[in-house]
Every structure is written in C-alpha cells, then in structure tokens.
Amino acid sequence: MPHTPSTAPVRKTRILLADDHALVRRGVRLILDGEPDLQVVAEAGDGAEAIQMARSERPDLAVLDIAMPRLTGLQAARELSRTLPELRILMLTMYDNEQYFFEALKAGASGFVLKSVADRDLVEACRAAMRDEPFLYPGAVTALVRNYLDRVREGRDVPDRAITEREEEILKLVAEGHSSKEIAGMLVISVKTVERHRANLLQKLGLRDRLELTRYAIRAGLIEP
C-alpha cells in the first residue's frame, strides 16, 4: 500500500488584534485569518481593553495600533511586556514616524508595520515575531542605522525617557480634553496630584499651556491628530 503522509493540523498562532477603528480591525482580521497558521482569537478597541483581553485569552501574539484611546498601543505594550513576557508584540501604525518606531522597540515590540502596506507586510511580520526575529519596514531600518551612526559620531548613549509613565498617562488625558477632576477620578488620585503632574510636564517639556501639551502628545504618538 502506498504510504500517505499524515496531515497533522498546523498549530495556529493565536492573535489579539487591537485598533480603535472597527473597519481597520475587520480588514486586518481578513488578512490574518486568511492564513493557515494565523488566527485572530480576540479583538480590542483600545489599549486598556487589549491588556484585559491579553490576560484572559493568553494569545501568542498581540498586534497593537499605536494611537488608541484610554491607553495607547505603546502604553499597552509596556504593560504587557512587563506582565506577560512570553507574549510577542507587533505595532501597527498609519504614521512613518521615527519617534514611534524607537518608542515601540523600547516598549518591547518585535516589529513595526505600516497600515498602508499591512496587506503586504503583516503576515510576514507575524511569522517573524513568532520566530523571535525583528520585523522592520525599509524606512525603519534606515532610521535605525542613521540614528545609531549619529549617536556613535556624537559619542551619545540612547536617551532615557523624558517623562515618567504616570506623567505620560496624564499628558494623554489632558490632550484628550479631560479636566483635572475627571483625570483624578479616572486614575484614582487627588486633583492636587494631577495639577502637580501637569505643572511638572509643562516645566520638563518647556511648554506653556494645554494647546502645546496637546501638540506634543500628537507628536509623541499618544493621540491622533
């Protein structure tokens, strides 16, 4: 009798997908679920929900949009890297921005995919992440090399974060238009503490008012313009 090869089912990579736009999630899900080795098992509409879903569903891989309400993808990535170190993380963004790229690497992401070419790059990025290999689009590689060469030439180390994680949380909420009282309620801290953090942010970043804080938050990828 001829030997028939066994057709063992392919072990699928279980994926959590987080993006605040349902249409984007639907499109990305179509790309991923169309592959025999990839499967979206959970969806989230913001960074805080992504953290909850990751804890309950225990996926192999999280694909996080950078700019989301409540918590950004970067903030969620930092938390997930700390609490679920086995989880692989990919960042998804509309913006080809060097700052986002470096922040994503620092947050524990193993790859960075532009939404504009997700249909071309995302599947390969997912597979690379599961092999523990970084995935960088060509522009990001250029940025990384240029940044490294600049630092070597100038004898500088990689800079520390300009603001603390708590300050970043407050900056995001201020930029989204929340009052000090609302922020205090959300973060379960006193209004006085919120005001102190706001004053520290203005001083540290050399900014004057809420409008300038909002512009900074957009540039830093905390909120979408």
Side-chain angles (χ1 to χ4, degrees):
M1 266 179 73
H3 174 70
T4 54
S6 64
T7 53
V10 177
R11 188 200 177 282
K12 288 180 183 267
T13 296
R14 300 172 71 255
I15 298 170
L16 161 66
L17 173 59
D19 192 295
D20 55 323
H21 296 104
L23 271 175
V24 173
R25 288 203 308 273
R26 191 178 306 158
V28 172
R29 184 171 196 143
L30 277 171
I31 294 168
L32 297 175
D33 284 348
E35 299 296 319
D37 55 333
L38 304 174
Q39 180 182 20
V40 176
V41 294
E43 291 187 27
D46 61 52
E49 194 184 352
I51 292 170
Q52 289 174 341
M53 290 293 220
R55 286 175 179 155
S56 63
E57 297 295 326
R58 295 295 170 128
D60 305 305
L61 172 67
V63 178
L64 309 174
D65 180 29
I66 281 189
M68 291 189 287
R70 289 212 288 168
L71 286 180
T72 68
L74 291 171
Q75 290 171 317
R78 281 186 213 116
E79 176 65 19
L80 291 171
S81 294
R82 264 201 300 264
T83 56
L84 297 171
E86 295 300 305
L87 178 68
R88 311 300 206 292
I89 299 170
L90 283 178
M91 305 309 297
L92 199 56
T93 180
M94 283 168 57
Y95 305 105
D96 184 355
N97 177 312
E98 284 183 29
Q99 185 62 34
Y100 296 177
F101 166 61
F102 289 114
E103 288 292 337
L105 295 184
K106 281 197 279 185
S110 62
F112 193 85
V113 178
L114 291 177
K115 287 184 185 178
S116 56
V117 289
D119 55 336
R120 185 190 74 201
D121 287 352
L122 186 57
V123 167
E124 183 48 44
C126 290
R127 290 175 181 150
M130 295 313 296
R131 294 192 302 266
D132 266 336
E133 294 172 10
F135 181 90
L136 308 174
Y137 65 96
V141 176
T142 306
L144 191 60
V145 172
R146 187 170 60 237
N147 181 277
Y148 176 77
L149 293 175
D150 285 349
R151 291 189 181 289
V152 169
R153 196 166 52 241
E154 295 164 20
R156 289 182 295 145
D157 293 326
V158 175
D160 290 329
R161 290 164 55 79
I163 58 177
T164 66
E165 288 187 22
R166 176 58 98 188
E167 285 168 345
E168 185 181 87
E169 278 183 293
I170 287 169
L171 168 61
K172 176 174 166 55
L173 293 169
V174 167
E176 286 176 346
H178 296 288
S179 68
S180 294
K181 190 175 177 186
E182 288 170 338
I183 295 169
M186 288 166 154
L187 300 180
V188 198
I189 56 178
S190 71
V191 173
K192 193 180 279 185
T193 302
V194 175
E195 295 291 357
R196 193 177 71 244
H197 280 306
R198 277 181 72 156
N200 286 346
L201 279 165
L202 291 169
Q203 185 187 359
K204 269 189 183 183
L205 301 173
L207 305 175
R208 286 173 307 198
D209 54 27
R210 179 188 215 131
L211 182 61
E212 291 192 350
L213 279 175
T214 303
R215 285 188 188 129
Y216 180 89
I218 290 168
R219 282 203 311 275
L222 293 172
I223 61 171
E224 288 186 322

